[in-house]
Structures are given as C-alpha cells and as structure tokens.
C-alpha cells in the first residue's frame, strides 16, 4: 500500500450513476483501474441531487426519483502518479467532469502500518 505524506494531487471525477463501461458501472471500472495503477486511494460518493452539462436536475427525492444520480470519484496520489493515470480517464469518461486540485496529505498509513496494526483494533498504544 502506498504511503503518502505532504504535497499531492486530488482528482475528482463527476459522472452519472448509470454510466457504464462494458456492462460494468463506470465508477467501479475507474476505482479498479486506480487500484491496479497503484494509486494511494480512491473513494466513490453518491450524490443526492445535482445537474451537469445537460442542465437536467437529478435528485433522490421521493416524488422525482432519478435513475442517474450524480457520482463523484475522488483519487489522491503524487502529481506524477496521478498525471500518469489521466490517459485512462480520457479513455473511460465520455461525459463528465474531471477536476485536479493540489492538496496536502497530513497522514496516510493504510491498514498495516510499519509501526503496528491500525483499523478495527484501534490505535497502537505507545
């Protein structure tokens, strides 16, 4: 697992929940490719309401259920690794928005830190 501290680049990809890549949700394909590329982290967030280039409002409200809610995929790693991954996004994202932000990672250790296990067991006692 990648350890990342300090300056990094965050990629936020906005797509629709119903977007697919070869009969598979597009967000799943992006996360799996990011994992295979060794990026430090990826998360998918489902939106409750939004609109994009089409200007159609997609919402999860009961009276106007949408089958295409907004989805945001957030990837974080060094600028070099993220920029090396961008051609894959060019291939995958037909409609959507990709945003790059400089950010600072305060701490990333993964599940098995060198100094001891973290996670469900809680913090290691010093």
């Amino acid at each position: 697992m990648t350890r990342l501290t300090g300056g990094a680049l965050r990629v936020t990809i906005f797509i629709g929940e119903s977007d697919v890549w070869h009969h598979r949700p597009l967000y799943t394909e992006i996360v799996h490719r990011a994992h295979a590329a060794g990026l430090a982290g990826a998360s998918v967030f489902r939106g409750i309401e939004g609109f994009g280039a089409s200007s159609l409002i997609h919402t999860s409200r009961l009276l106007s259920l949408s089958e295409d809610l907004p989805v945001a995929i957030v990837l974080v790693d060094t600028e070099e690794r993220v920029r090396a991954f961008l051609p894959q996004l060019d291939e995958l994202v037909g409609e959507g928005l990709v945003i790059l932000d400089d950010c600072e990672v305060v701490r990333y250790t993964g599940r098995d830190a060198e100094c001891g296990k973290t996670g469900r067991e809680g913090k290691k006692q010093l």
Side-chain angles (χ1 to χ4, degrees), residues 60-116:
S60 63
R61 284 182 280 146
L62 198 53
L63 295 177
S64 55
L65 288 176
S66 174
E67 295 179 5
D68 193 24
L69 292 171
V71 172
I73 304 112
V74 179
L75 312 172
V76 177
D77 208 316
T78 63
E79 181 173 356
E80 180 181 296
R81 293 175 71 99
V82 166
R83 292 203 182 274
F85 185 72
L86 290 178
Q88 292 197 55
L89 292 180
D90 288 341
E91 175 188 355
L92 294 170
V93 180
E95 285 186 26
L97 179 66
V98 177
I99 297 174
L100 302 175
D101 295 305
D102 290 323
C103 64
E104 184 176 348
V105 175
V106 176
R107 182 175 179 205
Y108 183 84
T109 58
R111 294 199 189 275
D112 294 320
E114 288 178 19
C115 62

Side-chain angles (χ1 to χ4, degrees), residues 6-67:
L9 194 61
R10 175 179 55 203
V11 183
T12 306
I13 305 134
F14 295 97
I15 59 172
E17 185 178 32
S18 66
D19 292 348
V20 294
W21 178 261
H22 295 261
H23 309 289
R24 181 179 191 181
L26 179 56
Y27 57 85
T28 298
E29 184 68 19
I30 292 170
V31 168
H32 286 198
R33 285 194 187 194
H35 185 261
L39 295 184
S43 296
V44 178
F45 301 94
R46 184 177 189 215
I48 57 172
E49 190 166 46
F51 70 92
S54 70
S55 294
L56 294 173
I57 293 180
H58 303 277
T59 181
S60 63
R61 284 182 280 146
L62 198 53
L63 295 177
S64 55
L65 288 176
S66 174
E67 295 179 5

